[in-house]
Amino acid sequence: MPAPIRLRELIRTIRTARTQAEEREMIQKECAAIRSSFREEDNTYRCRNVAKLLYMHMLGYPAHFGQLECLKLIASQKFTDKRIGYLGAMLLLDERQDVHLLMTNCIKNDLNHSTQFVQGLALCTLGCMGSSEMCRDLAGEVEKLLKTSNSYLRKKAALSAVHVIRKVPELMEMFLPATKNLLNEKNHGVLHTSVVLLTEMCERSPDMLAHFRKNEKLVPQLVRILKNLIMSGYSPEHDVSGISDPFLQVRILRLLRILGRNDDDSSEAMNDILAQVATNTETSKNVGNAILYETVLTIMDIKSESGLRVLAINILGRFLLNNDKNIRYVALTSLLKTVQTDHNAVQRHRSTIVDCLKDLDVSIKRRAMELSFALVNGNNIRGMMKELLYFLDSCDPEFKADCASGVFHAAEKYAPSKRWHIDTIMRVLTTAGSYVRDDAVPNLIQLITNSVEMHGYTVQRLYKALIDDISQQPLIQVSSWCIGEYGDLLVSGKCEEEEPIQVTEDEVLDVLEGILVSNLSSTVTRGYSLTAIMKLSTRFASTVNRIKKVVLVYGSSIDVELQQRAVEYNALFKKYDHMRPALLERMPIMEKTSTNGPTEIVQTNGETEPSILETKHVPNVPQPANQANDLLDLLGGNDVISVIQTAPPTKLVSAGGELLDLLGDLSLSGSVPAPGPQVSISQPPFLLDGLASQPLFNDVAAGIPPMIAYNKNGLKIDFTFERSNTNPNIAVITMHASNSTEAEMTEFVFQAAVPKTFQLQLLSPSSNIVPALNAGTVTQIIKVLNPQKQQLRMRVKLTYTHKGSSLQDLAEVNNFPPQSWQ
């Protein structure tokens, strides 16, 4: 058989191939020749054939049929054969194949060979692909070579020991005695591999870490080696860009970081050397930057001195000025990790960080944005928001959602004033309205609602924004809601914050109708606009007929949600016009809901108790935060249930199932939201029993006499009674509040509590102002379920403002007519 071609000739031939098919044909032809040679047990050219096979493997062609030939080469006595055999074993074999176990004995023999180069080949192969079984069998030989005086073998044995520890961690203690003298070696290769071995042992075993800290005094040895590297002069053997062995320096810094973490003594011992490395390392080359970066990570991870941490952050600040994008990215990422612990030190580099927002690289831009938001606090909120809003104007669409979300969060946390907060959120909506999160609209509505003194200013600003741009859906939704709530303030031209604009009722309706017919408006936005128009029917005096026509037109809309909304509003005009002012009155001040959602009503032994009063509606005027909780103590015992109070405009119940649908929509129980976030509170089951076409309660009192519940300081509370037709256990009490004094009573709030055997619900009052001189009354419906027919007892709490003074009184009502509870 002719001699096979040499590896060099095969490479030259393959490179002449013009197409992939031609190359594949050459490879297949040569593989066939190699297979024939293997079958003939040709020992002369086995080494050459395996070498060619390894080259084909590197090109991506299958070469598994040469695995056994590699084992034969390893068993050969010739060094050239062993070298190719071990190389083939590392490339073609791994621990998933049983064939590799056949070479365990060969490796063991070669580890005890008289030639260091053969021993080195065996150590490299074991450290590359040794399985756990192979490591257990050969760990003893590796440990012996680790103690030898030959530095060539010691460095390879240290790396093999790392592989053994990774595969069989329980063998770690075997190498502990051999590590004692490793750091005394002057050879940098041995030092490097020894530090790698010690790092692996410390990372995998807390016991080893404690041992090296206390017994071995490892930190002083590492400090000594690192100091020698820094102070040593030029060494051509280890010099890289003017720095002595940067690879060893980086490895030592990483090991120091592990040793100093959560350990005061070790951290104190390495503070000085870290300061020397940070100040003496040259930064003009990338090699120096790599060492400085590892130094910064070590300083930040150990219990270092405050001055040293400031020095580390200043190094990262210098990195931000580097022309290399990778270094700038690394600096931003590191600063982002340390900003929580060293906020003031990072703040010094705020201007440099903000400049990174203008970088062309998207990764740097994103890291700079995240770090900028982390730097925002109450002192710099105005300046930082100015920069971030400018970034929001000019950034790519992929950044707008995260940036808008960050601005919302920062403004909510650090806003210096409500006006600034509202202006900032409106700026975001006008700039990136289409990218904001879904909760941005209800959050802004809540902010506006609670800023009572800013209502006129806000509705005017939003009206102007609405005229300029109707493409941003969240902006239109907030604007429509505000116009519907505070349209009377817009038309009146009362705005103390800026120059008022003159707007007529028809102009406002023109804008809202334009939103309804715009192709840019979504279904949700049209729902906001239609509800706003409906609310204006109680705020505008001269355009009610026009509003009725608009509502009537959309009663036949092709959009089902919009049609249902319009039909229900039309029913309000026709059948329930007397209820329209109360249903469409201004939203009360809303408290921030908890992340767990609205109040839950828990059924306990047939009794309804609010589990957590985290979300509640209060009247239109501000009240003390603890006022609702005071009601829980009215009866002073454990037999009291809380009042289920229905604030406007939540669910009301009256005649007709269609009205139930109408008011269900008003409480936002559909996919189309009404113009304002509301919290729907679960109602007791008895309120929904038997709702058909019959009236809920009798129109005429069924022989139950009225009573005076309270009469003091000119305030008189009368109760009249009616009996529910749907449930005879329900008594419907109407509270009438009148005022005989010369001054009206404002901010009037009526609250009540009953024993646990009853269930009570308060519907919304007709007003919170009791007119003077008995010129009118405030009415409020109270529903009481008394399933056990017990005598009715009630305690009431009255809160109001009279002649500039806030008054509060408690009273107990026990003289209810027997007909009301029997």
Side-chain angles (χ1 to χ4, degrees):
M1 183 177 179
I5 62 174
R6 296 177 181 273
L7 174 61
R8 188 176 303 171
E9 295 175 5
L10 175 66
I11 295 173
R12 189 181 299 117
T13 303
I14 291 176
R15 286 179 176 175
T16 60
R18 297 181 179 180
T19 63
Q20 186 71 30
E22 190 175 347
E23 177 186 295
R24 193 160 45 245
E25 184 180 352
M26 294 178 182
I27 296 290
Q28 290 175 349
K29 183 177 179 181
E30 186 62 30
C31 284
I34 292 174
R35 279 193 180 94
S36 299
S37 178
F38 287 164
R39 280 195 297 270
E40 294 174 7
E41 294 292 333
D42 185 0
N43 296 327
T44 307
Y45 298 107
R46 179 180 287 123
C47 179
R48 179 184 298 181
N49 287 330
V50 171
K52 291 188 291 184
L53 206 56
L54 295 180
Y55 175 71
M56 296 177 195
H57 172 74
M58 293 169 59
L59 293 179
Y61 293 96
H64 56 278
F65 57 88
Q67 293 173 349
L68 289 176
E69 303 302 317
C70 293
L71 299 182
K72 294 176 182 178
L73 288 175
I74 291 173
S76 172
Q77 298 301 314
K78 299 169 104 178
F79 176 76
T80 52
D81 288 352
K82 282 184 178 292
R83 184 175 58 182
I84 294 297
Y86 276 123
L87 178 61
M90 287 186 276
L91 290 176
L92 301 182
L93 295 177
D94 57 44
E95 59 183 275
R96 292 172 298 180
Q97 296 162 335
D98 294 336
V99 178
H100 81 281
L101 296 174
L102 300 175
M103 59 190 290
T104 303
N105 193 52
C106 292
I107 292 179
K108 185 172 184 177
N109 293 334
D110 287 341
L111 287 175
N112 296 310
H113 201 276
S114 58
T115 307
Q116 64 174 4
F117 301 108
V118 174
Q119 291 176 298
L121 288 175
L123 286 170
C124 286
T125 305
L126 177 62
C128 178
M129 47 77 64
S131 63
S132 56
E133 294 86 355
M134 189 183 293
C135 289
R136 284 191 179 91
D137 294 338
L138 302 177
E141 278 70 20
V142 174
E143 193 262 343
K144 290 177 185 176
L145 292 175
L146 199 56
K147 295 178 180 179
T148 185
S149 60
N150 189 327
S151 58
Y152 175 83
L153 293 178
R154 289 183 80 183
K155 66 182 180 182
K156 292 181 179 293
L159 291 179
S160 294
V162 171
H163 183 77
V164 171
I165 290 173
R166 287 174 180 170
K167 289 294 181 182
V168 193
E170 57 266 24
L171 296 178
M172 190 182 304
E173 292 186 7
M174 175 187 293
F175 300 101
L176 186 59
T179 60
K180 292 183 178 181
N181 299 320
L182 285 176
L183 294 181
N184 297 325
E185 179 71 41
K186 293 184 179 180
N187 183 282
H188 281 217
V190 177
L191 283 176
H192 191 124
T193 54
S194 301
V195 172
V196 173
L197 175 60
L198 292 171
T199 302
E200 188 70 25
M201 295 172 76
C202 291
E203 284 181 336
R204 289 186 174 271
S205 172
D207 295 335
M208 286 290 177
L209 179 60
H211 173 79
F212 285 126
R213 277 175 179 167
K214 297 178 181 179
N215 300 335
E216 298 292 333
K217 301 295 181 182
L218 190 58
V219 174
Q221 295 185 66
L222 294 172
V223 169
R224 173 180 54 81
I225 295 171
L226 192 56
K227 189 173 184 179
N228 291 337
L229 288 172
I230 297 172
M231 299 304 177
S232 64
Y234 175 73
S235 174
E237 184 180 356
H238 307 117
D239 183 84
V240 179
S241 299
I243 294 178
S244 178
D245 203 343
F247 303 102
L248 179 57
Q249 289 191 45
V250 166
R251 282 291 180 182
I252 292 175
L253 288 168
R254 289 180 182 174
L255 181 53
L256 287 174
R257 182 157 74 245
I258 297 171
L259 293 168
R261 187 179 297 145
N262 300 322
D263 188 84
D264 293 328
D265 295 336
S266 299
S267 299
E268 186 177 356
M270 63 183 75
N271 274 335
D272 292 341
I273 190 63
L274 291 175
Q276 290 183 37
V277 174
T279 53
N280 295 336
T281 303
E282 179 63 40
T283 60
S284 60
K285 298 292 177 61
N286 207 37
V287 176
N289 291 327
I291 294 175
L292 285 176
Y293 177 60
E294 288 295 334
T295 305
V296 168
L297 293 180
T298 302
I299 291 172
M300 290 303 177
D301 216 14
I302 68 173
K303 294 188 175 182
S304 54
E305 300 170 350
S306 59
L308 199 57
R309 298 179 74 86
V310 172
L311 176 61
I313 290 174
N314 291 339
I315 292 173
L316 294 176
R318 292 203 305 271
F319 281 180
L320 293 176
L321 302 174
N322 199 295
N323 292 327
D324 191 307
K325 293 181 179 180
N326 293 324
I327 294 177
R328 293 204 302 275
Y329 180 83
V330 162
L332 288 169
T333 304
S334 302
L335 287 171
L336 191 58
K337 293 177 181 177
T338 60
V339 68
Q340 300 301 328
T341 54
D342 299 272
H343 190 84
N344 293 331
V346 180
Q347 282 282 1
R348 298 191 186 102
H349 305 280
R350 190 171 68 233
S351 59
T352 311
I353 294 167
V354 170
D355 287 341
C356 291
L357 291 171
K358 303 170 186 175
D359 200 286
L360 297 177
D361 189 279
V362 292
S363 301
I364 294 176
K365 206 180 294 187
R366 181 170 292 280
R367 279 286 179 266
M369 179 185 71
E370 294 170 355
L371 184 54
S372 297
F373 281 120
L375 290 176
V376 174
N377 58 29
N379 298 324
N380 61 25
I381 180 71
R382 292 182 183 271
M384 289 297 291
M385 281 299 107
K386 183 178 179 181
E387 296 290 345
L388 288 166
L389 287 172
Y390 177 77
F391 172 73
L392 182 63
D393 286 338
S394 57
C395 68
D396 298 330
E398 61 192 275
F399 293 102
K400 288 187 181 291
D402 291 335
C403 186
S405 178
V407 171
F408 285 162
H409 179 73
E412 182 179 1
K413 195 172 183 180
Y414 301 110
S417 65
K418 287 188 176 180
R419 174 173 176 174
W420 182 93
H421 192 177
I422 292 172
D423 287 343
T424 301
I425 302 302
M426 287 174 56
R427 172 79 181 277
V428 174
L429 290 179
T430 55
T431 304
S434 301
Y435 298 93
V436 298
R437 297 182 310 183
D438 293 339
D439 61 350
V441 172
N443 286 346
L444 179 54
I445 288 175
Q446 184 181 55
L447 171 65
I448 294 171
T449 303
N450 295 349
S451 307
V452 179
E453 68 281 1
M454 302 295 297
H455 286 168
Y457 167 76
T458 305
V459 71
Q460 184 168 306
R461 285 289 309 275
L462 287 169
Y463 179 77
K464 290 179 180 178
L466 200 58
I467 294 175
D468 295 337
D469 183 16
I470 61 170
S471 62
Q472 306 283 2
Q473 297 300 300
L475 176 65
I476 302 175
Q477 292 168 13
V478 176
S479 302
S480 299
W481 188 92
C482 285
I483 292 172
E485 285 291 314
Y486 314 117
D488 51 340
L489 301 179
L490 176 63
V491 174
S492 65
K494 295 178 181 179
C495 182
E496 299 179 358
E497 302 291 331
E498 65 178 12
E499 183 180 352
I501 58 175
Q502 300 300 322
V503 184
T504 65
E505 295 181 2
D506 286 319
E507 288 175 342
V508 174
L509 290 176
D510 287 341
V511 173
L512 292 175
E513 288 184 39
I515 296 171
L516 282 172
V517 299
S518 172
N519 292 329
L520 299 174
S521 299
S522 65
T523 300
V524 175
T525 303
R526 288 192 175 97
Y528 271 87
S529 180
L530 184 61
T531 305
I533 292 174
M534 183 62 187
K535 283 203 167 192
L536 290 178
S537 68
T538 61
R539 281 110 170 119
F540 290 173
S542 60
T543 55
V544 176
N545 290 331
R546 178 178 175 180
I547 292 173
K548 287 182 178 179
K549 292 179 181 178
V550 173
V551 172
L552 185 61
V553 167
Y554 281 90
S556 57
S557 171
I558 193 173
D559 186 280
V560 177
E561 297 288 344
L562 205 59
Q563 181 190 107
Q564 180 180 351
R565 190 180 295 269
V567 168
E568 292 168 351
Y569 291 160
N570 194 44
L572 266 185
F573 275 122
K574 291 182 178 180
K575 297 182 181 180
Y576 312 102
D577 199 52
H578 62 285
M579 299 173 60
R580 183 166 53 85
L583 286 173
L584 302 179
E585 66 183 8
R586 196 164 288 174
M587 283 289 293
I589 295 175
M590 294 175 285
E591 291 192 4
K592 190 79 173 177
T593 59
S594 70
T595 55
N596 295 328
T599 303
E600 297 177 357
I601 300 297
V602 181
Q603 294 291 335
T604 308
N605 298 327
E607 298 167 351
T608 307
E609 296 182 357
S611 60
I612 304 175
L613 288 176
E614 290 176 337
T615 305
K616 55 183 178 292
H617 289 281
V618 295
N620 295 348
V621 292
Q623 295 186 31
N626 62 347
Q627 200 172 63
N629 291 331
D630 291 343
L631 188 59
L632 299 177
D633 303 323
L634 278 179
L635 293 180
N638 295 327
D639 61 339
V640 182
I641 69 163
S642 306
V643 179
I644 307 166
Q645 182 157 0
T646 309
T650 51
K651 283 188 181 178
L652 300 175
V653 183
S654 184
E658 59 183 3
L659 184 57
L660 182 65
D661 294 337
L662 164 69
L663 299 175
D665 182 68
L666 285 177
S667 64
L668 294 182
S669 60
S671 59
V672 180
Q678 301 183 18
V679 181
S680 59
I681 301 179
S682 302
Q683 304 295 340
F686 73 89
L687 294 180
L688 304 177
D689 288 343
L691 273 180
S693 59
Q694 58 181 345
L696 181 65
F697 47 84
N698 293 334
D699 294 335
V700 181
I704 305 176
M707 63 171 288
I708 299 175
Y710 179 90
N711 192 356
K712 189 175 179 181
N713 298 327
L715 176 62
K716 182 181 178 183
I717 305 294
D718 294 309
F719 284 171
T720 59
F721 303 91
E722 296 169 278
R723 182 70 66 184
S724 171
N725 276 345
T726 59
N727 190 339
N729 294 328
I730 296 177
V732 181
I733 306 171
T734 304
M735 183 276 298
H736 303 268
S738 58
N739 172 18
S740 59
T741 65
E742 296 179 354
E744 65 181 13
M745 298 176 179
T746 60
E747 303 179 13
F748 174 75
V749 178
F750 173 87
Q751 293 174 294
V754 292
K756 253 187 177 181
T757 54
F758 300 87
Q759 291 185 21
L760 179 145
Q761 183 185 30
L762 288 176
L763 299 188
S764 59
S766 60
S767 175
N768 66 341
I769 299 175
V770 187
L773 301 174
N774 295 322
T777 61
V778 173
T779 62
Q780 188 168 5
I781 294 177
I782 310 166
K783 300 177 183 178
V784 181
L785 174 64
N786 184 6
Q788 300 179 17
K789 298 293 184 180
Q790 294 184 358
Q791 181 177 354
L792 180 58
R793 294 187 300 117
M794 182 183 296
R795 280 198 177 178
V796 298
K797 180 178 179 181
L798 303 169
T799 307
Y800 58 94
T801 300
H802 189 228
K803 295 182 180 180
S805 300
S806 296
L807 301 176
Q808 180 177 298
D809 197 10
L810 297 175
E812 185 167 351
V813 184
N814 293 325
N815 57 336
F816 284 94
Q819 300 92 322
S820 65
W821 49 270
Q822 288 180 350

